[in-house]
Amino acid sequence: KAGDTTGQGRRVLLVEDEDAVRAFASRALANRGYEVLAAASGVEALELIEREGKVDLVISDVVMPEMDGPTLLRELRSREPGLKVIFISGYAEEAFARNLPPSEHFSFLPKPFSLKQLVAAVSETLRA
């Protein structure tokens, strides 16, 4: 077993517009002990944070209606500069990373991903 993959006491905001992906990832993380707040859009994610408070990590799709992942990241960073973020996307990282400042720090997990890859990415990002 590579590292501790339990999420006890950790709160994750998952932002994904595809219902099936959101359900799979939410279930996978909840089964590892993470408290998961799930949103179908960037706008919904901001409302959730406003209502529910601080999270330890945001996992966000890049391409979504209403508000894309990079725009959501900029908005979240204005509120909490050190927030940890993992972008998930079927597109190459370079395709959207150029829309962000070079100093921006985030992790990236390409779609499709397995349960094991998701849990490992979350665990690594939270440890960093």
Side-chain angles (χ1 to χ4, degrees):
K1 184 176 176 183
D4 180 16
T5 56
T6 59
Q8 296 307 115
R10 300 295 196 134
R11 184 184 247 194
V12 175
L13 173 60
L14 174 66
V15 190
E16 168 59 63
D17 62 319
E18 288 183 53
D19 293 342
V21 176
R22 191 173 61 254
F24 162 80
S26 292
R27 221 175 11 261
L29 293 170
N31 286 341
R32 295 298 188 282
Y34 293 96
E35 179 186 349
V36 181
L37 303 176
S41 70
V43 172
E44 189 180 323
L46 292 175
E47 291 168 358
L48 255 178
I49 290 252
E50 199 68 37
R51 192 171 59 246
E52 301 290 333
K54 191 174 176 343
V55 296
D56 297 295
L57 173 70
V58 174
I59 303 169
S60 177
D61 192 3
V62 174
V63 179
M64 298 180 288
E66 292 183 90
M67 178 185 295
D68 66 5
T71 303
L72 174 62
L73 176 61
R74 283 190 291 275
E75 182 62 36
L76 291 171
R77 286 273 194 248
S78 71
R79 300 167 187 213
E80 191 177 335
L83 186 62
K84 295 181 184 227
V85 174
I86 299 173
F87 278 126
I88 53 176
S89 180
Y91 296 95
E93 182 176 353
E94 298 76 33
F96 70 89
R98 65 176 163 259
N99 297 328
L100 294 166
S103 61
E104 187 59 71
H105 295 287
F106 60 88
S107 298
F108 180 74
L109 183 61
K111 288 181 184 177
F113 50 82
S114 68
L115 165 70
K116 188 175 180 178
Q117 290 169 317
L118 174 64
V119 170
V122 168
S123 183
E124 275 175 38
T125 302
L126 286 170
R127 276 198 311 267

